[in-house]
Amino acid sequence: MKVTIVGAGAVGASCAEYIAIKNFAEEVVILDIKEGFAEGKAMDLMQTASLNYFDTQITGITNDYGKTSNSDVCVITSGIPRKPGMTREELIGINAGIVKSVSANLLEHSPNTILIVVSNPMDTMTYLVHKTTGIPKNRIIGMGGALDSARFKYRLAEALSAPISDIDGMVIGGHSDKGMIPLIRLATRNSVPVTAFLSEERLEKVAADTKVGGATLTGLLGTSAWYAPGAAVSEMVKAIALDSHKMFPVSALLEGEYDLNDISIGVPVTLGKIGIEKIVKINLTESEKTKMQESAVAVKKTNGLLAL
Ligand code: NAI
């Protein structure tokens, strides 16, 4: 498998590192617009190969898309990240132009590739890629829910004083502080609903902490996070590489599913070698359905800012 990552910044480099450490891809190409930057990140990562025991060949390039040709998967992390106090939506002006040109360049050299969109506001950037490239919807996947679900599990484990490996849970809806929907009702500790262990009040705090997970880290770090985003992308790329049919919440184009149309938003899907294999339908309660509709309204409002 050949993977291209556009953007050698914090998330792109972390993503390359986790993909290499998991050792399932033959080749990772990192591309950045900043002269020498991707080359430097790639060389530094390659010098970890004998220490971290991977055989993945990582190369870095400055804006030369020819070197990305025939990639099986391309990850788009290019663009500006949030600074403290900013919302993801405020990034749209700059990032829309970048994501549009980057996806066109990638497809010119890898017409059959699967695109994973990370740049924020991610649901809107994913929708933009659908609208501007016209490639089949199974090949455009937005990463947000996999990260938000990992943050949800972290907060649940904290509340339960339990190991994270005991916890299962999922976040759907828009990838924004207000829009994401941690599915408390369906979260479990070793198959027992977490609602059996934690008060409604404590669970509300878990949900609230999950929703501001990105903003909390942006406040602490001065820029948005990278380890968990990189790890989340690497798991999705691995599911595609191994054709594992693993289920993730991702931003997928909906055509009637969850009573939504013409929007890309977080829903559970299975991932395999074709990208999104199917959208998984789960029965939501009336309150969860309302939250999903409200989340969709907010995503569509941001989509409306795109000059399509
Ligand atoms: P960063 O600033 O560390 O890296 C971005 C890189 O993109 C820079 O190296 C820059 O030179 C490069 N770049 C800019 N324009 C480019 C172009 N036209 N072609 C190639 N490279 C270009 O930012 P970071 O922290 O890596 O974040 C990247 C994006 O990912 C941001 O939009 C951020 O908001 C988003 N993000 C999304 C997450 C998600 O869950 N979907 C999680 C974390 C970040």
Side-chain angles (χ1 to χ4, degrees):
M1 144 133 342
K2 177 173 176 177
V3 183
T4 286
I5 299 167
V6 182
V11 176
S14 163
C15 179
E17 181 176 14
Y18 284 117
I19 289 174
I21 286 175
K22 292 176 186 180
N23 214 9
F24 59 82
E26 282 82 44
E27 198 182 345
V28 172
V29 173
I30 316 175
L31 180 149
D32 203 284
I33 202 167
K34 221 187 296 173
E35 189 71 43
F37 192 53
E39 288 84 339
K41 289 276 179 113
M43 194 185 291
D44 193 8
L45 281 170
M46 279 307 286
Q47 289 169 4
T48 71
S50 65
L51 301 163
N52 284 332
Y53 307 102
F54 63 77
D55 301 314
T56 304
Q57 187 64 39
I58 309 171
T59 47
I61 44 171
T62 304
N63 230 19
D64 176 2
Y65 282 85
K67 301 264 169 54
T68 70
S69 62
N70 298 320
S71 292
D72 301 288
V73 178
C74 295
V75 182
I76 304 177
T77 74
S78 45
I80 52 165
R82 289 203 274 181
K83 295 285 170 235
M86 280 175 92
T87 65
R88 294 175 178 91
E89 289 68 28
E90 287 174 70
L91 306 173
I92 190 170
I94 294 174
N95 286 357
I98 294 174
V99 169
K100 189 175 167 189
S101 69
V102 164
S103 51
N105 285 331
L106 287 169
L107 285 165
E108 195 184 321
H109 296 274
S110 304
N112 300 316
T113 196
I114 293 167
L115 297 171
I116 298 183
V117 181
V118 181
S119 310
N120 274 315
M122 183 278 297
D123 295 297
T124 295
M125 292 302 109
T126 307
Y127 181 75
L128 172 72
V129 173
H130 279 290
K131 287 287 162 194
T132 55
T133 66
I135 65 170
K137 60 179 184 167
N138 57 298
R139 286 170 42 205
I140 303 174
I141 313 169
M143 193 293 288
L147 167 65
D148 299 332
S149 300
R151 288 177 171 158
F152 182 36
K153 289 180 233 183
Y154 164 79
R155 288 300 183 188
L156 281 168
E158 178 185 58
L160 287 159
S161 299
I164 296 185
S165 57
D166 257 11
I167 309 294
D168 205 0
M170 186 164 57
V171 176
I172 60 169
H175 178 60
S176 68
D177 297 6
K178 290 194 183 128
M180 67 181 80
I181 308 163
L183 290 173
I184 292 274
R185 179 179 61 92
L186 299 175
T188 61
R189 176 179 186 182
N190 207 353
S191 83
V192 182
V194 293
T195 47
F197 302 118
L198 294 169
S199 67
E200 205 172 308
E201 196 182 25
R202 187 67 186 87
L203 285 166
E204 268 167 30
K205 179 163 164 40
V206 165
D209 288 345
T210 301
K211 291 167 87 163
V212 296
T216 304
L217 284 164
T218 304
L220 291 168
L221 297 166
T223 185
S224 61
W226 55 88
Y227 295 118
V233 174
S234 74
E235 278 298 287
M236 289 163 58
V237 177
K238 187 172 149 195
I240 295 166
L242 304 186
D243 196 25
S244 69
H245 321 300
K246 209 169 146 61
M247 187 162 111
F248 295 87
V250 308
S251 191
L253 188 75
L254 301 186
E255 291 170 316
E257 301 90 345
Y258 291 89
D259 295 325
L260 292 169
N261 263 300
D262 195 34
I263 186 170
S264 195
I265 194 167
V267 291
V269 307
T270 62
L271 294 183
K273 66 174 186 244
I274 64 158
I276 296 176
E277 298 172 316
K278 64 166 188 242
I279 292 171
V280 179
K281 176 91 182 79
I282 50 174
N283 289 326
L284 299 178
T285 62
E286 285 310 313
S287 138
E288 289 159 353
K289 278 184 195 164
T290 304
K291 284 183 188 157
M292 192 69 173
Q293 293 299 324
E294 286 168 359
S295 187
V297 168
V299 170
K300 283 202 171 182
K301 194 169 163 207
T302 311
N303 292 352
L305 301 173
L306 292 169
L308 287 170

